[in-house]
């Protein structure tokens, strides 16, 4: 360890392809930390996205890689000068040194105390502890507040961000007062003006309650064997009613429910959430959402959201012992 890293209080979680350049730069220029999610992006495009964020803001931002997949664009984004890299679903090992050699700080998302200890042993600059409440793919089986307490104990002076089900000012204030250096929010930023999510998906997030989410293995096309938290929809309900059958025996297995802008098909059980250019029955697609969704009451500008949440984060610092 030994490097001192200051994490902005509000972090926008990597939210796959919904983390647009507009969203990431709005969050960072408002004093938060925006995050591009570049696991599935080719190196040239990824470097272009980093350059596009840099052209919009001089503030720091991050680029995320899910280590369940090969981080093929990592070298390209480091060369393009991304200031921070975050990893999830695995430990970066030698990639920490590589990122540091480019001057980039490194954060790792973990779902267990053991994972946090291992990440800390790898000289990471900050740790993100993800609770079971999280939207998207869920590494954790522990509530975020419980995990946070245990990880803070291990992390000593290394900053720790809390993630999972955090959606409003009270949540942010609470985790900060518990000792987190930052609150990381994903679903809340999906429901922002700048996110790339389909309008119907954003509207569904605003209309949903916490009890409308499910932790499931249903949408495994493209990423098998990884639980994910989603909004309940017809695809999930029909799959459950049929007995949660395995691949090739599921209802509507081959249905093309929507199409991307390029015309590429999105199949019923694909792990792709609907973006603004997708056409078709987008509400049958995978609609990632954390259990804090019930506290999202509007689709707001990310800039205003960060400003408001950061104020409460400051109040949480004052409340901390
Ligand atoms: C739409 C969506 C896409 C996500 N994509 C990624 C991703 O690409 N990489 C990653 O590490 N985490 C991803 N996550 C999980 C986040 O890192 C984070 O743990 C989660 O959003 C926190 O919970 P919350 O959504 O309740 O705020 C995603 C979450 C959502 C909602």
């Amino acid at each position: 360890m030994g490097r001192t890293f200051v994490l902005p209080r509000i972090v926008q979680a990597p939210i796959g392809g919904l983390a647009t350049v507009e969203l990431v730069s709005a969050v960072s220029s408002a004093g938060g930390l925006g995050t591009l999610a570049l696991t599935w992006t080719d190196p040239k495009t990824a470097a272009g996205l980093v350059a596009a964020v840099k052209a919009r803001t001089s503030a720091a931002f991050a680029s995320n890689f899910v280590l369940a997949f090969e981080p093929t664009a990592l070298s390209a984004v480091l060369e393009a000068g991304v200031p921070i890299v975050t990893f999830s679903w695995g430990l970066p090992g030698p990639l920490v040194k590589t990122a540091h050699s480019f001057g980039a700080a490194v954060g790792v998302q973990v779902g267990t105390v053991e994972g946090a200890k291992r990440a800390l042993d790898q000289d990471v600059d900050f740790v993100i502890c993800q609770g079971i409440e999280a939207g998207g793919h869920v590494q954790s089986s522990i509530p975020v507040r419980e995990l946070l307490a245990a990880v803070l104990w291990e992390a000593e002076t290394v900053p720790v961000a809390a993630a999972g089900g955090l959606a409003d000012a009270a949540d942010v204030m609470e985790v900060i007062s518990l000792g987190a250096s930052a609150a990381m929010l994903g679903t809340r930023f999906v429901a922002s003006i700048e996110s790339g999510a389909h309008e119907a998906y954003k509207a569904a997030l605003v209309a949903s309650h916490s009890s409308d989410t499910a932790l499931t293995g249903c949408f495994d096309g493209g990423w098998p064997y990884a639980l994910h938290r989603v909004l309940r929809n017809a695809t999930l309900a029909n799959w459950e009613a049929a007995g949660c059958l395995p691949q090739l025996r599921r209802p509507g297995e081959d249905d093309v429910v929507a199409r991307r802008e390029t015309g590429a098909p999105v199949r019923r059980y694909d792990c792709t959430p609907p973006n603004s250019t997708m056409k078709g029955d987008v509400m049958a697609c995978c609609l990632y959402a954390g259990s804090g969704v019930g506290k999202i009451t509007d689709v707001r500008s990310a800039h205003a959201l960060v400003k408001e949440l950061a104020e409460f984060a400051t109040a949480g610092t004052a409340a901390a012992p």
Side-chain angles (χ1 to χ4, degrees):
M1 288 166 224
R3 293 160 51 106
T4 313
F5 179 74
V6 179
L7 195 56
R9 296 269 179 209
I10 305 300
V11 180
Q12 168 248 313
I15 48 170
L18 309 180
T20 58
V21 165
E22 291 74 17
L23 175 61
V24 174
S25 52
V27 169
S28 287
S29 58
L33 179 69
T35 309
L36 289 167
L38 299 175
T39 308
W40 304 277
T41 308
D42 68 82
K44 196 170 165 214
T45 309
L49 292 170
V50 168
V53 176
K54 286 179 82 144
R56 284 174 166 254
T57 179
S58 56
F61 64 98
S63 171
N64 167 261
F65 293 92
V66 174
L67 290 174
F69 302 83
E70 200 55 42
T72 45
L74 178 62
S75 302
V77 304
L78 288 171
E79 276 157 25
V82 75
I84 300 168
V85 211
T86 69
F87 298 101
S88 54
W89 289 86
L91 290 167
L95 302 180
V96 176
K97 214 169 175 183
T98 308
H100 284 169
S101 72
F102 279 86
V106 176
V108 174
Q109 178 168 277
V110 300
T112 61
V113 184
E114 198 47 48
K117 282 189 199 167
R118 290 192 184 150
L120 290 160
D121 283 345
Q122 294 189 351
D123 200 23
V124 301
D125 299 283
F126 64 99
V127 173
I128 302 154
C129 52
Q130 186 203 45
I132 194 171
E133 303 91 336
H137 287 84
V138 182
Q139 293 175 246
S140 182
S141 52
I142 310 167
V144 62
R145 288 155 184 81
E146 200 179 307
L147 182 61
L148 175 65
V151 171
L152 282 169
W153 180 261
E154 298 297 335
E156 299 179 359
T157 57
V158 176
V160 178
L166 311 177
D168 67 4
D171 290 334
V172 169
M173 201 164 132
E174 189 188 352
V175 293
I176 298 288
S177 66
L178 289 173
S181 294
M184 184 169 102
L185 296 82
T187 307
R188 175 60 268 202
F189 283 105
V190 175
S192 69
I193 292 168
E194 296 88 341
S195 104
H198 194 285
E199 291 306 318
Y201 175 20
K202 293 184 189 180
L205 292 174
V206 172
S208 296
H209 303 285
S210 296
S211 55
D212 296 329
T213 73
L215 187 61
T216 180
C218 178
F219 296 93
D220 69 353
W223 187 352
Y225 315 115
L227 291 178
H228 36 276
R229 188 177 293 283
V230 292
L231 287 183
R232 292 193 163 279
N233 64 1
T235 299
L236 179 61
N238 291 335
W239 178 68
E240 287 178 343
C244 302
L245 292 168
Q247 278 186 10
L248 306 179
R249 294 173 54 207
R250 302 181 286 194
E253 183 82 46
D254 296 324
D255 294 352
V256 172
V257 289
R259 287 195 182 271
R260 296 170 192 257
E261 201 178 16
T262 56
V266 178
R267 296 187 193 281
R268 184 170 293 284
Y269 297 100
D270 281 358
C271 66
T272 317
N275 67 21
S276 59
T277 60
M278 224 178 248
K279 299 259 185 305
D281 185 6
V282 295
M283 294 307 289
C285 296
C286 170
L287 306 170
Y288 296 122
S291 67
V293 68
K295 289 174 272 184
I296 299 174
T297 55
D298 57 8
V299 175
R300 190 113 49 94
S301 104
H303 189 93
L305 200 52
V306 171
K307 290 281 182 199
E308 183 202 309
L309 294 175
E311 241 179 68
F312 282 89
T314 308
T317 319

